[in-house]
Amino acid sequence: MNYNRTFNFSAGPAMMPEPVLEEIRDEMMNYRGSGMCVMEMSHRSKVFQQIIDEAEQDLRELMGIPDNYKVLFIQGGATLQFSMIPMNLMKNGKAVYIETGAWSKKAITEAKKVGEVVVAASSKDKNYTYIPDCSDLEIPEDTDYVYICENETIHGVTWNKLPNTKGHVLVSDQSSMFLSKPCNVSDYGMIYAGVQKNVGPAGMVVVIIREDLIRDDLTQLPIYLQYKTHADAGSMYNTPNCWAIYCCGKVFKYLKSIGGLEVMHQRNIDKAKVMYDFLDSSRMFTGTVEPEFRSLMNIPFVTESKELDAEVVAATKAAGYDNLKGHKSVGGLRASVYNAMPKEGVEALVEFLKKFEAEHTA
């Protein structure tokens, strides 16, 4: 670990693995003898075609993506998908959404502009500090899909068990937990993730969608908003986010090199345990999420007052631990400890918080 670098606890854009950044640096001026940087390269060139093909193949191997799923690299980030999903998947004009935090709530708002949204379960009653029981939801027969945000970045809750969709298509926003643990892709009709948290630079989303969900009857929908457009063109209908695809491809290879998603998951468990063990033993700091639903990626916590919260945030920033201020809807602090955050970073933060607590409760 290069300790001249900041431990960046931001919810996104977030840290990337140092070996990946070093490789990117080494290829910056001249990518593998091409005489140019990937940022300067034509997306129609053989060199870039190899980059995007390898990125897709490595992701397929990492996640075990079945052959009947398309992998798409689409610009616009995850927020654009809040609209694209209902536009493309609402055949009957109806979908079920589970409301578990800020991001599923935003997705609901957008979907309502397209069709009927049934909010079958919500944890709003306790400020989204848990995942509601979804083992026996009331799902209308003509529902086109069931939508979840599998890890809520702001509120720090995660799904440990997928909802019973009663045979309906499951769509999941995995933005803040993508590639953090093994995933059985065939449990889903569609998975998508903004890449700027666990995988690469901001500006792109990865969409993994079952082929039978890609429609060819949406001729009135703007062409760029149709999944068919991206699937038919191999994610290159127009100039894609070449740089993000290149960087994500590097991260996919890195994850394969360390032993895949099982190894990454264990690292994430070990790392989060350091933080949660501290919070559970602290007299000053308290985790805001019910233990059963705690995210391994986003850890919100508070003190007894907003004033003390602000004092802690200022102290952590001064000490070189960046972006720990909690989201305004939750308050307090939030440590985002995505894949690339080393365990040493969490241990260093915990030591700092222990010292702060000791000095302020003496």
Side-chain angles (χ1 to χ4, degrees):
M1 174 72 195
N2 177 353
Y3 287 98
N4 292 323
R5 279 170 51 75
T6 296
F7 289 124
N8 178 9
F9 291 93
S10 171
M15 293 179 78
M16 287 176 63
E18 283 200 355
V20 169
L21 292 176
E22 286 164 353
E23 266 189 45
I24 291 168
R25 175 199 63 200
D26 293 345
E27 294 175 347
M28 180 68 79
M29 299 301 289
N30 184 355
Y31 176 77
R32 300 189 183 178
S34 66
M36 62 183 85
C37 174
V38 173
M39 277 192 266
E40 305 169 300
M41 196 175 280
S42 168
H43 61 297
R44 304 295 180 197
S45 65
K46 286 183 180 177
V47 185
F48 185 75
Q49 189 65 54
Q50 185 180 1
I51 289 171
I52 193 171
D53 288 347
E54 277 188 27
E56 178 177 341
Q57 189 53 40
D58 286 335
L59 181 60
R60 285 185 177 277
E61 289 173 16
L62 259 181
M63 296 184 73
I65 299 173
D67 290 344
N68 64 324
Y69 285 73
K70 291 284 190 185
V71 174
L72 312 176
F73 301 110
I74 303 177
Q75 298 180 64
T79 299
L80 180 61
Q81 297 306 308
F82 297 166
S83 303
M84 276 185 76
I85 289 162
M87 285 175 175
N88 283 266
L89 301 188
M90 274 189 178
K91 278 187 175 179
N92 299 318
K94 184 182 292 184
V96 163
Y97 279 64
I98 317 299
E99 185 185 31
T100 54
W103 294 110
S104 47
K105 187 178 178 183
K106 285 191 175 188
I108 288 165
T109 300
E110 292 304 296
K112 282 179 176 176
K113 296 173 183 176
V114 180
E116 183 184 346
V117 172
V118 177
V119 180
S122 173
S123 55
K124 187 178 182 180
D125 60 330
K126 294 183 181 176
N127 196 26
Y128 309 115
T129 54
Y130 70 103
I131 298 291
D133 179 4
C134 293
S135 58
D136 188 23
L137 296 170
E138 284 191 30
I139 302 177
E141 262 313 300
D142 58 348
T143 295
D144 291 309
Y145 61 89
V146 176
Y147 179 103
I148 64 171
C149 177
E150 206 164 331
N151 188 89
E152 288 278 4
T153 319
I154 289 172
H155 289 87
V157 290
T158 200
W159 289 72
N160 298 314
K161 185 182 179 185
L162 295 176
N164 177 4
T165 64
K166 300 183 177 176
H168 293 87
V169 168
L170 178 62
V171 175
S172 176
D173 174 0
Q174 288 192 359
S175 292
S176 53
M177 46 85 75
F178 189 55
L179 301 184
S180 66
K181 63 178 185 177
C183 173
N184 185 19
V185 175
S186 57
D187 289 341
Y188 306 81
M190 176 178 155
I191 293 166
Y192 74 95
V195 301
Q196 71 276 14
K197 301 172 187 298
N198 254 346
V199 198
M204 190 177 78
V205 68
V206 174
V207 170
I208 302 166
I209 183 169
R210 211 172 60 214
E211 287 178 349
D212 63 294
L213 297 175
I214 299 172
R215 294 164 60 183
D216 57 10
D217 62 337
L218 298 170
T219 52
Q220 298 307 306
L221 195 61
I223 195 158
Y224 199 79
L225 298 180
Q226 299 176 34
Y227 290 126
K228 185 179 189 309
T229 301
H230 302 281
D232 288 353
S235 298
M236 287 204 273
Y237 171 73
N238 67 334
T239 310
N241 190 333
C242 299
W243 183 249
I245 292 166
Y246 162 71
C247 295
C248 291
K250 292 281 188 200
V251 174
F252 302 155
K253 284 190 188 302
Y254 166 78
L255 288 170
K256 286 173 69 179
S257 76
I258 65 167
L261 300 186
E262 290 83 1
V263 172
M264 194 69 248
H265 188 211
Q266 191 56 54
R267 287 188 187 182
N268 288 328
I269 291 169
D270 295 344
K271 193 164 58 181
K273 186 178 188 300
V274 173
M275 193 71 196
Y276 285 124
D277 282 354
F278 163 68
L279 293 175
D280 290 341
S281 64
S282 170
R283 286 178 297 154
M284 177 179 280
F285 300 101
T286 309
T288 59
V289 174
E290 293 183 17
E292 186 186 345
F293 307 107
R294 285 171 165 174
S295 168
L296 296 180
M297 301 282 101
N298 310 101
I299 305 175
F301 56 104
V302 295
T303 67
E304 63 188 23
S305 72
K306 288 181 180 179
E307 292 74 24
L308 187 55
D309 288 346
E311 194 179 335
V312 180
V313 170
T316 54
K317 190 169 181 63
Y321 306 104
D322 213 6
N323 295 308
L324 277 159
K325 186 178 181 182
H327 191 271
K328 59 187 176 185
S329 61
V330 179
L333 298 93
R334 173 180 48 170
S336 291
V337 291
Y338 299 122
N339 283 359
M341 170 62 70
K343 189 178 180 183
E344 294 89 340
V346 183
E347 289 169 340
L349 174 63
V350 164
E351 284 309 307
F352 180 85
L353 294 173
K354 279 182 180 175
K355 186 167 175 281
F356 184 96
E357 180 172 346
E359 290 171 355
H360 286 71
T361 55

